[in-house]
Amino acid sequence: MNKRSKRYRQIQLKNAAILFFPAVICIGAVVIFPLFYSLVLSFTDTNLRARGMGTFIGLENYITALTDEYFLKSIVTTLQYTVVSVIAELCVGYMIAGLLNKVKKGREFFFSIIIIPMMISCVAVGMIWRLLLHPELGIVNYLIELLGGTGRAWYGDAKYALGTLIFIDVWQETPYMTLLILAGLVSLPKDPYEAARIEGANVFQTFQKITLPLMKPTLIVATLLRAIGALKTYDLVYVITKGGPGTSTEVMTYNIYKQAYQYLNTGRAAAMSYILLAIILVISIFFVRIGQEKQE
């Protein structure tokens, strides 16, 4: 019996290895190798104008990037974009989720309408809003002038360009935040609310003492996921402003794109990418630790 069990166990392990091996190959080819190769490139002066890999230059690419005023400005722009858009999406998403949670009939219908922006690709969203906000032909300026106001060059003026991108991002990604928050609200236990009602707690006290503590893990995860997405934003910038006017909307990803495909400085672009990865890791660790503290 023991021999049969041992033989059966060996067959299971063999079958598992056979099924697992293709996944390992795919992950290695798609994830591990590109990460390792780009890390090696970041320590060289590789340029696409020359053949082969460049010579080893140590941390020079990282030092050059961190002393480049344009790259430093792109870091600030990226953080501004991320902070404002994520906070706005969190607030608006929570309000919409709260309203949907109170709806008893037709919730699926309303939710299916709300998530439409999330289902559209970023490139299509960028093209749509580029037309809507066109300074001369766009319907937004037409409606503003119809109401007696003055139209703006929404993505052609440095004063409004970044705010315009943030507004479009909030319009598209708020449904995603709403989906996560609504899932958390629906799963909340009913007993604490019944006890609070018996004790005579008002709406604000119930939210502060019950809803917010119970929802904190969901809110932390939702905020982290959207922060990572906002830090990596590229599509909207490329389609609508291409980093302009000037460098007012040049985020880190677009700066990396310029270094890699316009200036062909592959090594420096790889170093900039790892700086972005480091920023994402720091923010992720920060949110994970907050979540652990709340659980403790």
Side-chain angles (χ1 to χ4, degrees):
M1 186 68 180
N2 291 333
K3 290 183 178 180
R4 289 183 178 178
S5 299
K6 186 176 180 180
R7 177 62 179 171
Y8 179 71
R9 181 64 176 171
Q10 289 177 346
I11 294 173
Q12 280 187 320
L13 292 174
K14 183 179 178 180
N15 292 335
I18 293 173
L19 295 173
F20 188 64
F21 186 71
V24 173
I25 296 297
C26 291
I27 293 173
V30 176
V31 179
I32 298 176
F33 174 74
L35 279 174
F36 177 76
Y37 184 69
S38 61
L39 181 62
V40 173
L41 284 180
S42 69
F43 295 107
T44 66
D45 61 352
T46 302
N47 191 293
L48 291 181
R49 295 185 182 90
R51 291 184 178 181
M53 185 176 292
T55 57
F56 179 79
I57 57 174
L59 297 174
E60 185 175 332
N61 284 327
Y62 292 90
I63 296 172
T64 302
L66 293 174
T67 55
D68 181 6
E69 61 174 321
Y70 293 107
F71 184 66
L72 293 176
K73 187 177 184 298
S74 72
I75 294 177
V76 174
T77 302
T78 302
L79 293 177
Q80 290 175 339
Y81 179 92
T82 300
V83 171
V84 177
S85 62
V86 171
I87 291 176
E89 290 161 12
L90 181 63
C91 295
V92 178
Y94 194 98
M95 288 188 292
I96 296 174
L99 292 174
L100 288 176
N101 190 43
K102 294 180 179 180
V103 174
K104 302 303 180 181
K105 294 183 179 180
R107 179 189 297 175
E108 294 78 7
F109 171 75
F110 291 113
F111 189 72
S112 63
I113 295 175
I114 290 172
I115 65 172
I116 289 176
M118 186 180 70
M119 308 304 293
I120 307 173
S121 69
C122 287
V123 175
V125 168
M127 294 299 297
I128 291 170
W129 279 103
R130 186 177 176 86
L131 294 173
L132 291 175
L133 297 173
H134 192 279
E136 297 178 359
L137 305 176
I139 191 173
V140 174
N141 276 351
Y142 172 75
L143 292 175
I144 291 174
E145 292 172 0
L146 197 64
L147 296 173
T150 304
R152 298 285 188 273
W154 297 106
Y155 52 82
D157 191 328
K159 293 188 297 183
Y160 307 110
L162 185 60
T164 299
L165 290 178
I166 291 172
F167 169 79
I168 297 171
D169 184 81
V170 171
W171 178 83
Q172 185 183 20
E173 299 297 340
T174 294
Y176 177 72
M177 191 74 78
T178 303
L179 175 64
L180 296 176
I181 295 173
L182 181 60
L185 290 174
V186 171
S187 63
L188 291 180
K190 305 298 182 183
D191 294 342
Y193 292 94
E194 294 178 359
R197 192 180 302 111
I198 294 173
E199 293 293 331
N202 57 36
V203 176
F204 178 75
Q205 291 172 332
T206 302
F207 174 78
Q208 184 182 16
K209 301 296 183 180
I210 299 177
T211 305
L212 190 58
L214 292 175
M215 282 293 296
K216 275 181 179 176
T218 302
L219 296 177
I220 289 172
V221 171
T223 304
L224 175 59
L225 292 176
R226 273 306 305 138
I228 293 174
L231 286 168
K232 298 188 300 179
T233 189
Y234 168 80
D235 314 70
L236 290 178
V237 176
Y238 180 81
V239 173
I240 298 176
T241 65
K242 289 185 168 54
T247 57
S248 60
T249 61
E250 190 171 289
V251 293
M252 293 179 69
T253 50
Y254 193 78
N255 196 301
I256 293 169
Y257 157 77
K258 287 172 61 177
Q259 286 292 334
Y261 298 107
Q262 291 186 12
Y263 309 140
L264 305 181
N265 294 324
T266 311
R268 187 179 300 178
M272 291 177 173
S273 299
Y274 274 93
I275 293 173
L276 174 59
L277 177 61
I279 293 174
I280 292 175
L281 287 176
V282 170
I283 293 175
S284 301
I285 292 171
F286 172 75
F287 277 101
V288 169
R289 287 188 175 180
I290 290 178
Q292 291 175 346
E293 289 176 359
K294 301 305 178 185
Q295 290 177 358
E296 293 174 1

